[in-house]
Amino acid sequence: MFILAISPGEGFQTPRWDRLARSGIDALMIREPDLEPRELLAVARWVRSRYPGLELWVNGRLDVALAAGCGLHVPEAHPFVPPGLAPLSRPVHDPAQVHGRSTARQLILSPIFPVPGKGPAWGPGRLHLVLHGLPPVSGRILALGGITAANAAWLKHPRLDGVALVRGLWNRPDPETAVAALRAAWKTPGRPPVRPRSTHP
């Protein structure tokens, strides 16, 4: 199970970021739209130097990704990025987007469970239908949106590599416990006894 932590856009505080980076996650995405490029680069270099084994992504700033030597997450409104400049991560809000983004290193499908302001949730059923019908892709596939240890097991599918979380990790005083619970849920055979509610049947 691959776990990506996406920063919540609340600035950089060393103790908080240290706790998250040490929690057992596999990758970290810096999504801090209020930081200037120089500040973003300083954060990226801090992560690189302090946690060299952690896969690192920067959201929406090609210049910072190139300077830091990390991956770039390309949001919907981002200008075209020529292939080969940096490893790319792409969002998928509509299954039809996958065909044009199949060469990305990482695809993030969302929102799976209800998240305020993020539109209708897919739900586990639709997620599985989408995964069944996906064309071949070159990178990993992650699910994002309202995911917790209580509902993660419903998402398991041979084509799903793991999950991405924002507040489910960053808002926890003990993100290490949350990460351990996610991994334990993912390994549990079968499904949880109560199916999570979804906006899709």
Side-chain angles (χ1 to χ4, degrees), residues 155-167:
L155 308 183
K156 289 193 294 185
H157 185 280
R159 298 203 63 187
L160 187 67
D161 298 295
V163 297
L165 292 94
V166 186
R167 290 171 180 80

Side-chain angles (χ1 to χ4, degrees), residues 60-136:
R61 294 294 316 201
L62 177 60
D63 52 349
V64 175
L66 292 175
C70 65
L72 172 70
H73 181 74
V74 184
E76 298 294 354
H78 196 280
F80 173 74
V81 178
L85 284 182
L88 298 184
S89 169
R90 299 301 310 273
V92 174
H93 305 296
D94 183 328
Q97 295 174 318
V98 173
H99 180 74
R101 301 176 181 183
S102 60
T103 60
R105 180 77 60 85
Q106 179 171 269
L107 294 177
I108 303 178
L109 282 55
S110 73
I112 306 306
F113 296 106
V115 176
K118 296 299 183 181
W122 293 25
R126 185 185 181 207
L127 173 66
H128 289 169
L129 287 174
V130 170
L131 290 168
H132 278 309
L134 281 185

Side-chain angles (χ1 to χ4, degrees), residues 9 20 22 27 29 37 41 43 51 59 82 101 107 147 153 180 185 199:
L20 197 287
R22 293 196 304 261
M29 182 185 295
L41 181 57
V43 174
Y51 300 98
N59 187 307
R101 301 176 181 183
L107 294 177
I147 298 168
T199 56

Side-chain angles (χ1 to χ4, degrees), residues 136 160 187 191:
L160 187 67
K187 292 177 181 178
R191 293 180 170 178

Side-chain angles (χ1 to χ4, degrees), residues 4 7 11 14 16 18 22 25 40-41 43 56 60 69-70 74 83 95 116 135 146 149 153 156 170 172 176 181 193:
L4 167 68
S7 71
T14 301
R16 189 184 190 192
D18 261 326
R22 293 196 304 261
I25 58 173
L40 280 174
L41 181 57
V43 174
L56 181 63
C70 65
V74 184
K156 289 193 294 185
W170 290 86
R172 292 285 299 266
E176 185 174 355

